[in-house]
């Protein structure tokens, strides 16, 4: 397959969980959020030199590639892997920057307030990860095996969730009367064992029993 057919095929998919278009790269700090989101979710690729409407504008200079490298290596903590492939479509150049899913999550990018935060890729958005996701990643790194238990605490918590509409972390904390950090740990464990689901709705993470 020639470069043109390959890139046009990718563009036809539109922006989604594993693909984002970048008209131009000017801000490594902002770009680090996209790198973080892909690294923390399922991996993905940035098509640089492609506008949001899918029109190929082309990469303007090698400086844009350097900015991508800086975003992944210097503005992400820990640094994220990134790989570049160059394609020529007529007189224009498109760079595909591929970011694999990290085995050392969370990878944190630089948020608008200057803090390092972990992002997730949800549909075509980069969203700040919830405290529950952070706990799940901490559990991944733990050397202590995770075991699902059903103490009175877990049973009461699930009973309070059962049959209810999806609720936010704050709503569940207030409803249960439990310390927030304990609710976070419970939700992380219940999600891992397929008892509770986590969905992003209306700009919020919502939790409900399955």
């Amino acid at each position: 397959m020639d470069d043109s057919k390959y890139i046009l095929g990718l563009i036809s998919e539109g922006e989604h969980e594993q693909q984002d278009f970048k008209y131009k790269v000017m801000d490594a700090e902002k770009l680090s959020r996209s790198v973080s989101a892909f690294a923390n979710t399922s991996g993905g690729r940035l098509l640089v030199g492609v506008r949001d409407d899918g029109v190929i504008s082309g990469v303007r200079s090698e400086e844009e590639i350097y900015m991508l490298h800086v975003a992944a290596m210097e503005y992400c903590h820990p640094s994220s892997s990134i790989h570049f492939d160059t394609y020529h479509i007529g007189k224009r150049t498109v760079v595909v920057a591929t970011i694999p899913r990290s085995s050392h999550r969370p990878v944190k990018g630089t948020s608008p307030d200057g803090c390092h935060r972990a992002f997730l890729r949800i549909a075509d958005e980069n969203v700040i990860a919830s405290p529950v996701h952070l706990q799940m990643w901490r559990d991944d790194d733990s050397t202590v095996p995770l075991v699902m238990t059903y103490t009175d605490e877990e049973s009461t918590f699930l009973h309070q969730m059962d049959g209810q509409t999806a609720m936010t972390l704050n709503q569940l904390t207030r409803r249960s009367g439990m310390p927030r950090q304990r609710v976070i740990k419970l939700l992380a464990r219940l999600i891992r064992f397929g008892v509770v689901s986590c969905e992003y709705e209306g700009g919020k993470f919502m939790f409900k029993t399955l």
Side-chain angles (χ1 to χ4, degrees), residues 19-202:
Q19 181 165 282
D20 198 5
F21 299 159
K22 292 294 179 186
Y23 168 53
K24 55 185 176 180
V25 176
M26 299 178 63
D27 186 342
E29 182 178 289
K30 183 177 181 180
L31 189 66
S32 70
R33 299 165 210 162
S34 293
V35 176
S36 165
F38 284 134
N40 288 329
T41 312
S42 303
R45 55 182 171 259
L46 296 165
L47 273 59
V48 184
V50 178
R51 297 189 333 201
D52 288 345
D53 59 5
V55 173
I56 297 174
S57 56
V59 175
R60 288 174 167 73
S61 71
E62 291 186 3
E63 179 70 14
E64 295 191 66
I65 310 307
Y66 173 72
M67 293 290 280
L68 284 163
H69 180 81
V70 169
M73 297 295 111
E74 297 184 21
Y75 282 90
C76 285
H77 302 272
S79 297
S80 171
S81 296
I82 190 167
H83 174 75
F84 304 101
D85 291 295
T86 302
Y87 299 88
H88 302 286
I89 298 86
K91 295 182 179 180
R92 294 176 179 172
T93 299
V94 171
V95 171
V96 178
T98 303
I99 299 99
R101 181 179 182 272
S102 176
S103 58
H104 301 289
R105 298 181 293 173
V107 172
K108 295 183 178 181
T110 305
S111 64
D113 60 7
C115 295
H116 293 133
R117 301 186 189 278
F119 290 80
L120 289 172
R121 184 75 176 174
I122 299 176
D124 60 353
E125 293 184 75
N126 300 326
V127 176
I128 295 176
S130 75
V132 177
H133 290 96
L134 298 179
Q135 182 62 49
M136 292 174 71
W137 291 325
R138 282 193 290 270
D139 290 343
D140 285 341
D141 290 337
S142 174
T143 57
V144 179
L146 285 176
V147 178
M148 189 64 242
T149 59
Y150 282 100
T151 64
D152 289 344
E153 183 181 55
E154 278 92 356
S155 298
T156 300
F157 184 74
L158 285 170
H159 179 72
Q160 290 170 332
M161 293 186 71
D162 191 35
Q164 301 294 323
T165 57
M167 289 180 280
T168 64
L169 171 60
N170 287 340
Q171 288 171 332
L172 283 167
T173 300
R174 288 194 298 269
R175 184 180 183 87
S176 68
M178 297 167 58
R180 178 181 169 86
Q181 190 56 40
R182 182 56 184 155
V183 173
I184 289 170
K185 289 182 177 181
L186 267 177
L187 286 172
R189 190 143 46 90
L190 291 168
I191 290 169
R192 180 181 299 279
F193 285 95
V195 180
V196 168
S197 67
C198 174
E199 301 293 337
Y200 189 71
E201 301 173 2

